[in-house]
Amino acid sequence: MHSLLAGQPGVATSKQAWLNKLRSSAVESVSELTIPTTRDEEWRFTDLTMLTKVSLQPAQTSVKLSAADIQRFHIKEAENCLVFVDGVYAAHLSKIDNSLIILNNLSSLVDSQAALLQAHLAQQVASAGNVFAALNTAQLRDAAVIMLPRDTQAKAPVHLLFIATQKEVVSYPRTLLLADNGCEATVIEDYVSLQDETYFTNAVTEFVLADNARIHHVRVQREGVKAFHIANCAATLSRGSNYQSVNIAMGARISRYNLNVKLAEGAECSADGLAMISGRQLADTHTCIDHAQPHAISRQLHKCIVGGGAHAVFNGKIMVRRGAHHTDSEQSNHTLLLTDKAHIDTKPQLEIFNDDVKCTHGATIGQLDKDEVFYLQSRGVTHEHARNMLTYAFGAEVIERIPVASLKHSLEQTVLEQTSAKI
Amino acid sequence: MIYPDSKTILEVRNLCASVEGTPILKNMNFTVKSGEIHAIMGLNGSGKSTFSKVLAGHPDYEITSGTVIFEGKNLLEMEPEERARAGLFLAFQYPIEIPGVGNSQFLRLMYNTVQTHRGKEELDPLEFDDFVREKMKLLEMREDFLDRSVNAGFSGGEKKRNEILQMAMLEPSLAILDETDSGLDIDALRIVAQGVNQLANKDNAIIMVTHYQRLLNYIVPDFVHVMVDGRIIKSGGKELALELESRGYNWVSDEYKAASRVAA
């Protein structure tokens, strides 16, 4: 048995019996599961053999970071920031302004908000059949909890910063957002690293949107180059609610992001993504947008920029259930392969159990458009520079959808640097 | 305008070009002198757009024979960017969109790149802003034009104006306008034409490639050429365009075939 699955050490018992039970049933799920292999349909293109060969332990010691150490990750628009170091909540680095919203580490809210937490925690991302989600719940201790009261409008984004500092450590970042009726907020989930050694981030994120709630979810995965990153995110949308997500994956040796969005009547979501990888990186995005009820709208633009000998995977499932009339869904997936060795496996997967729907999907895979390169050259720009600019622009189309100006700008700068596109 | 002692800007001799083995240009001969405005007219598939792309250096076309001398230099040996820096400008029929790249950033990059290669000073963002706003007046462009991404969400008319704005900034010695009138309403056409007319002077030259006579009401050519099957078969003054408009193209082809038979 792999060290990840062997014995589940060191999570202190809570006063809340339901939480202990949640963890113990997750431990049980783990005992019934194994690390998936490429023989599993859902993992056909993503080989985790490398992950099973490294020895990983939860962080035993804590690294003391100062505000200066993480200054470069600061997002100036964010008035609220929760910081987790190797999965452990760092109160001294966090900034909480509870005036509008309830925001804290799980341990601070577990007694006062027990009923709500019990009703929702681990209910969107289930442990059954999902070994990584089960492991996360089995280890559940610290977690970012955001509760938005009815009709609140949080103008400033909330920044959740997960920092990896130690090698051969596995961390279990956990986020729960409960958005009550009619509230509005932007949440940034940000995975960063202060090191280039091997480690493993196994994250679970759950969003619950009540009627008419409007949530922007920005997810930035910029882990270290030797990291493994596996994340499960689920968003459950009630009537008329709106979930706009942008997922940027740039880091990690191997990364996998599972996003499941479930839409109630009249709900609307966008699930956009950009994977920009090179060298020997692998970035796998699996999304499932579930039109469970009528009149829901979904939009998805997923782009991949694949350089070196990197490998991108995209599996975009759109499910339209029986009775989900007037479903309106659009999906597009565009991939830019920068080298002959770059590789993409992409699969749109439409499962429609209804007649009265509008579902479109399109996928393109290719190199840069010759006419576009020529246009820039005809304006005095060299061939190489033209290519770099167009590669940048390809990615920028997704980054532009991030509603936080400074983060958008810094990610654009990152893409500019990676593409050497001086503008 | 035709000037007595003007210098030759472009000299095309017996140019043949093909795309994927199919010949498109067949013995093209064409000379442009400074101060002149030329119109190349022809039906779809006549090779007129190919000709403009070949001059600008599009990689899809293979030059199989012939020469092109641009201001004394062998144009065919130059990369597209070198041609632009040397003073050749192509206004595209379909300008590309570049999301994520601000129009003002792009225009400044383009301008400074070309200026540097011409041995001139670059402009910093503030200086550039003054410079570009002055040029924008010429084309009656709104201020927010600079803040948007290059051509993204621009109307057809806005894209064409953006092309002519670039021409105004780069001050080319030879500008080729490829179907610049297509997709323009009368107002936009008038503005674009007015811009081009203000840029025309005795030291530069303009080639308009067009299907219709309409643009030529606004930018009056000194010469009109008819292109059929990859070569120019008839040249004349501005009245030729009117004749083509009223009589179509067939008579020109017939006349040319008859003349060819006589010559043979």
Side-chain angles (χ1 to χ4, degrees):
Chain A
M1 190 190 288
H2 185 256
S3 65
L4 274 174
L5 308 183
Q8 299 301 325
V11 181
T13 311
S14 166
K15 277 191 293 180
Q16 299 288 336
W18 63 269
L19 185 54
N20 296 326
K21 190 157 171 282
L22 196 64
R23 284 193 287 241
S24 63
S25 78
V27 170
E28 214 166 283
S29 293
V30 171
S31 70
E32 293 161 3
L33 295 163
T34 54
I35 304 285
T37 69
T38 51
R39 287 185 300 277
D40 294 274
E41 179 61 27
E42 288 291 295
W43 292 85
R44 260 175 73 198
F45 302 112
T46 299
D47 187 348
L48 295 177
T49 308
M50 278 177 63
L51 173 65
T52 63
K53 286 192 173 146
V54 288
S55 169
L56 296 160
Q57 298 298 326
Q60 301 299 316
T61 54
S62 63
V63 172
K64 273 278 171 232
L65 295 181
S66 69
D69 294 327
I70 62 164
Q71 179 57 32
R72 65 186 158 115
F73 304 120
H74 178 69
I75 293 173
K76 70 175 186 215
E77 291 91 337
E79 284 168 10
N80 283 294
C81 181
L82 296 184
V83 180
F84 297 81
V85 179
D86 300 316
V88 179
Y89 179 59
H92 69 290
L93 299 172
S94 301
K95 195 171 76 170
I96 300 176
D97 164 20
N98 269 328
S99 56
L100 263 181
I101 62 181
I102 299 165
L103 171 84
N104 217 317
N105 184 28
L106 177 63
S107 60
S108 303
L109 297 170
V110 73
D111 296 322
S112 60
Q113 302 287 345
L116 269 176
L117 292 170
Q118 183 179 358
H120 295 292
L121 200 55
Q123 304 305 305
Q124 327 304 317
V125 176
S127 295
N130 183 338
V131 69
F132 295 107
L135 277 165
N136 184 295
T137 300
Q139 292 283 347
L140 179 55
R141 187 181 58 177
D142 288 352
V145 177
I146 306 167
M147 293 175 165
L148 299 151
R150 179 181 282 261
D151 298 328
T152 48
Q153 186 187 31
K155 290 216 168 68
V158 175
H159 186 195
L160 308 176
L161 183 62
F162 301 94
I163 308 173
T165 69
Q166 298 179 63
K167 68 172 178 180
E168 288 164 14
V169 153
V170 51
S171 70
Y172 298 98
R174 182 88 185 197
T175 301
L176 175 68
L177 172 130
L178 301 176
D180 207 342
N181 287 10
C183 67
E184 287 177 30
T186 297
V187 176
I188 303 159
E189 200 186 341
D190 194 3
Y191 297 88
V192 303
S193 172
L194 292 173
Q195 51 149 343
D196 288 325
E197 302 290 341
T198 300
Y199 63 92
F200 177 30
T201 301
N202 176 5
V204 170
T205 303
E206 296 174 292
F207 277 29
V208 184
L209 277 66
D211 292 359
N212 302 314
R214 302 179 72 84
I215 300 296
H216 277 279
H217 178 199
V218 182
R219 185 178 199 284
V220 186
Q221 185 272 96
R222 32 185 167 174
E223 302 269 23
V225 287
K226 288 188 190 161
F228 299 95
H229 178 101
I230 294 176
N232 284 281
C233 174
T236 304
L237 277 65
S238 294
R239 273 179 88 99
S241 62
N242 187 309
Y243 171 71
Q244 308 278 323
S245 79
V246 182
N247 164 43
I248 310 292
M250 293 176 164
R253 173 70 173 76
I254 293 178
S255 68
R256 166 70 174 252
Y257 181 51
N258 292 334
L259 171 66
N260 291 305
V261 183
K262 192 170 181 184
L263 298 157
E265 186 169 336
E268 191 171 340
C269 81
S270 66
D272 299 328
L274 170 68
M276 181 167 180
I277 49 173
S278 61
R280 297 179 50 74
Q281 286 181 286
L282 181 150
D284 179 346
T285 306
H286 269 59
T287 62
C288 174
I289 297 175
D290 182 352
H291 286 261
Q293 291 182 13
H295 294 285
I297 300 171
S298 67
R299 295 288 179 269
Q300 182 168 38
L301 171 67
H302 188 81
K303 287 190 153 187
C304 305
I305 301 175
V306 193
H311 180 185
V313 180
F314 175 66
N315 189 107
K317 183 168 167 179
I318 307 284
M319 167 91 94
V320 180
R321 292 186 191 266
R322 205 174 296 282
H325 306 291
H326 302 289
T327 287
D328 176 357
S329 168
E330 282 175 27
Q331 178 189 72
S332 51
N333 168 224
H334 302 296
T335 300
L336 194 52
L337 298 176
L338 297 176
T339 66
D340 293 341
K341 288 186 177 147
H343 185 73
I344 171 88
D345 288 293
T346 177
K347 182 173 144 197
Q349 196 183 342
L350 272 59
E351 297 185 6
I352 302 172
F353 301 98
N354 226 324
D355 292 333
D356 182 17
V357 298
K358 194 176 100 189
C359 290
T360 63
H361 72 94
T364 60
I365 299 169
Q367 277 93 44
L368 290 165
D369 186 313
K370 259 192 298 188
D371 287 322
E372 296 187 352
V373 175
F374 172 63
Y375 180 83
L376 291 176
Q377 281 185 279
S378 79
R379 296 300 179 256
V381 176
T382 62
H383 186 262
E384 191 192 358
H385 193 176
R387 280 181 56 91
N388 294 344
M389 271 178 80
L390 291 167
T391 305
Y392 162 76
F394 183 88
E397 188 188 359
V398 176
I399 292 174
E400 279 204 325
R401 300 180 177 203
I402 294 175
V404 183
S406 73
L407 178 62
K408 183 171 81 176
H409 182 72
S410 83
L411 290 171
E412 280 173 351
Q413 289 306 311
T414 306
V415 179
L416 275 176
E417 281 158 27
Q418 288 193 15
T419 54
S420 317
K422 293 180 290 293
I423 296 174
Chain B
M1 198 90 76
I2 301 167
Y3 296 90
D5 295 320
S6 56
K7 61 181 174 47
T8 301
I9 288 191
L10 183 76
E11 178 115 44
V12 179
R13 285 287 158 260
N14 302 320
L15 183 66
C16 296
S18 56
V19 62
E20 288 170 355
T22 307
I24 309 282
L25 298 183
K26 301 164 185 172
N27 262 328
M28 184 82 180
N29 286 290
F30 188 57
T31 303
V32 177
K33 293 187 167 182
S34 58
E36 295 175 352
I37 298 179
H38 292 251
I40 298 178
M41 301 186 70
L43 297 171
N44 284 338
S46 59
K48 61 189 194 304
S49 258
T50 295
F51 181 55
S52 51
K53 283 187 195 154
V54 163
L55 292 181
H58 195 291
D60 277 356
Y61 301 98
E62 192 199 345
I63 310 300
T64 47
S65 64
T67 57
V68 179
I69 305 298
F70 173 63
E71 297 195 305
K73 293 181 285 277
N74 181 352
L75 189 73
L76 301 178
E77 278 182 353
M78 297 160 80
E79 293 296 324
E81 62 269 29
E82 293 168 339
R83 301 179 194 203
R85 294 164 187 171
L88 186 141
F89 180 86
L90 173 62
F92 279 60
Q93 180 175 7
Y94 302 113
I96 64 157
E97 300 183 3
I98 321 177
V101 177
N103 207 20
S104 75
Q105 287 169 289
F106 168 70
L107 294 172
R108 192 164 76 89
L109 171 80
M110 175 199 78
Y111 178 76
N112 281 340
T113 305
V114 169
Q115 287 297 98
T116 311
H117 282 89
R118 291 177 185 169
K120 294 185 182 144
E121 289 281 307
E122 290 193 8
L123 297 182
D124 69 34
L126 282 175
E127 293 167 331
F128 179 79
D129 202 57
D130 291 341
F131 170 73
V132 71
R133 281 175 201 280
E134 194 55 40
K135 298 288 181 191
M136 278 166 68
K137 285 184 197 158
L138 189 68
L139 291 149
E140 301 178 23
M141 288 161 104
R142 291 214 323 261
E143 302 257 312
D144 70 348
F145 206 78
L146 290 174
D147 305 328
R148 293 152 69 186
S149 291
V150 181
N151 291 330
F154 283 25
S155 69
E158 286 176 322
K159 284 181 184 172
K160 297 292 171 77
R161 278 195 241 182
N162 209 21
E163 292 293 284
I164 305 304
L165 175 68
Q166 293 169 33
M167 173 181 164
M169 292 166 62
L170 296 180
E171 298 179 338
S173 46
L174 178 64
I176 305 156
L177 313 183
D178 188 6
E179 307 271 3
T180 292
D181 53 329
S182 72
L184 293 189
D185 61 37
I186 295 290
D187 283 341
L189 185 66
R190 183 186 52 75
I191 292 165
V192 164
Q194 196 175 297
V196 172
N197 284 329
Q198 288 198 40
L199 297 170
N201 62 41
K202 68 174 176 44
D203 296 318
N204 62 26
I206 293 165
I207 303 171
M208 291 180 282
V209 173
T210 180
H211 202 114
Y212 303 103
Q213 194 266 341
R214 189 173 73 138
L215 177 67
L216 311 186
N217 290 334
Y218 297 89
I219 307 171
V220 179
D222 301 303
F223 301 96
V224 173
H225 311 273
V226 181
M227 207 165 159
V228 173
D229 194 25
R231 72 191 76 143
I232 288 172
I233 62 166
K234 188 176 179 70
S235 298
K238 62 180 184 223
E239 60 292 337
L240 178 56
L242 294 168
E243 204 170 350
L244 291 168
E245 188 83 349
S246 60
R247 294 176 64 191
Y249 284 88
N250 284 343
W251 65 274
V252 191
S253 300
D254 294 343
E255 201 181 277
Y256 179 74
K257 280 178 202 149
S260 304
R261 272 198 298 276
V262 171

